[in-house]
Amino acid sequence: MASSTRNLRTAVPKLQRLAYRSNVTSARPYHSYEYSQPDPYPAAESAILSSAIAHVPDHGFTSTSLQLGARDAGYLAASTNLFPRGVFDLIQYHLVIRRLALRDSVQFPEDGMVNGRKLGVGAKVRLLTLERLRANQPIIHRWQEALAIMAQPSYIPASLAELAKLADEIWYLSGDTSVDSSWYTKRGSLSTIYSTTEVFMTQDQSTDFKDTERFLDSRLEDLRTAGMAASGVGEWLNYTGHSVVNVLRSKGMRI
C-alpha cells in the first residue's frame, strides 16, 4: 500500500496538468447559460444510473445496485454492459449530476442581497460548497467505498478532472470573473478544501453534520488569511489514499 501511494504521488504533476487543461478547454463552453445544455447521458444510460443510485444506500456502489437499477428502469440485467467501467460509471454519474444540480439548487438574487446584506464571492463559494457536500448525505455511509474506487490508478484521471470541474463550477456560480493566474490557484485551493472536507464528512457523527460545516469554515478561513498553494491533486490523493486503507481494514485486511 505504501508503495502504491508513492507511485500515485509521483503522477501528481502530470495529472494536475491533465485535469486543469481539460477544464480550460471544455468547461468554458458549458458555462454559457444562453443555450440549453444537453443531457450528459443517453436516455437508456441515464434511466439505469438514476435508478441504480436509489439502491446505493442499501447496496453501495456495487454491480448489484447497477443490476437493480437496470431492472427498475425496465431493462435486462445484461444492459449493465453499457457501462464498461462498471461501478465507477455509477460513481461518476453521481458526481456529474450533483455538480450540474448546483446551478438550480442554489440561486442568488441579481443584486446579491440576502437578509439586507450583500453576499461576496467568498460567501457564495461557501454556500455552494456546503450544498454540494449536503448532496452526499443520503449515500455518505457508502462514500468511503466510492473514494476507494476513485483512487484506483485507472480512475484517478477521470476523478481529478471531475473534481476540477466542480471547483470551476462553484467559482463560476459565485460570480468569480478572474482571468489571470489566480484562476488556477483558486480552483486548486478549492479542490483541496472540498476533497478534504468530503473525506472528513464520511467520519462525521455530529448532528446535521455540523462538525463538517465547522471543518469547512476553518479551511476557508485558512485560505482567506494565509492562502493555500494549488495542491488540490496531491492532497486529494493523500486523503483518498487513507480512505482506501480504512475501507480495506474494515474488510479485515491487515494493512
Side-chain angles (χ1 to χ4, degrees):
M1 178 61 68
S3 175
S4 176
T5 301
R6 285 195 298 271
N7 290 338
L8 294 182
R9 287 179 177 173
T10 61
V12 166
K14 181 177 180 180
L15 292 174
Q16 188 172 33
R17 290 193 297 271
L18 171 66
Y20 287 106
R21 186 181 300 120
S22 172
N23 206 24
V24 170
T25 57
S26 64
R28 291 296 106 187
Y30 160 77
H31 281 143
S32 174
Y33 289 164
E34 297 178 7
Y35 306 98
S36 60
Q37 300 300 325
D39 193 313
Y41 290 89
E45 293 182 19
S46 181
I48 293 173
L49 291 170
S50 62
S51 297
I53 283 290
H55 292 283
V56 169
D58 291 331
H59 300 284
F61 287 94
T62 62
S63 58
T64 298
S65 291
L66 275 175
Q67 291 166 2
L68 291 173
R71 181 202 65 185
D72 293 351
Y75 293 90
L76 297 175
S79 300
T80 57
N81 291 331
L82 288 170
F83 311 108
R85 297 178 298 179
V87 294
F88 179 75
D89 283 325
L90 181 58
I91 294 169
Q92 189 170 46
Y93 174 82
H94 173 76
L95 297 174
V96 171
I97 294 303
R98 299 325 307 171
R99 168 172 56 83
L100 296 180
L102 280 176
R103 62 182 176 184
D104 294 322
S105 59
V106 180
Q107 296 184 349
F108 303 108
E110 290 187 10
D111 60 5
M113 301 297 292
V114 176
N115 297 327
R117 297 178 56 188
K118 186 174 181 63
L119 287 180
V121 171
K124 293 177 181 178
V125 166
R126 177 185 182 275
L127 290 173
L128 286 160
T129 304
L130 271 177
E131 179 65 20
R132 175 59 191 87
L133 289 165
R134 286 169 180 153
N136 279 353
Q137 288 186 21
I139 48 86
I140 195 62
H141 59 295
R142 298 291 190 178
W143 197 241
Q144 281 202 2
E145 301 169 12
L147 291 173
I149 295 170
M150 292 162 65
Q152 293 178 17
S154 58
Y155 300 138
I156 286 176
S159 299
L160 294 181
E162 183 55 39
L163 177 62
K165 289 178 182 178
L166 174 62
D168 183 39
E169 182 78 348
I170 290 174
W171 278 110
Y172 179 83
L173 294 176
S174 298
D176 178 60
T177 57
S178 61
V179 293
D180 55 14
S181 60
S182 69
W183 191 96
Y184 296 94
T185 304
K186 290 176 180 177
R187 283 150 181 79
S189 297
L190 184 57
S191 294
T192 299
I193 290 171
Y194 178 82
S195 58
T196 54
T197 306
E198 186 179 59
V199 174
F200 180 91
M201 187 177 178
T202 66
Q203 306 168 60
D204 186 1
Q205 301 297 316
S206 64
T207 302
D208 296 328
F209 297 97
K210 289 298 183 182
D211 285 348
T212 294
E213 185 171 346
R214 283 189 283 269
F215 181 87
L216 173 64
D217 287 340
S218 178
R219 298 306 298 267
L220 289 172
E221 180 63 16
D222 289 343
L223 175 62
R224 188 185 70 82
T225 58
M228 294 175 64
S231 58
V233 173
E235 195 151 348
W236 181 86
L237 287 171
N238 181 45
Y239 269 71
T240 51
H242 285 302
S243 178
V244 172
V245 172
N246 290 336
V247 170
L248 294 178
R249 283 175 175 167
S250 73
K251 296 183 182 298
M253 293 186 65
R254 295 183 178 181
I255 56 174

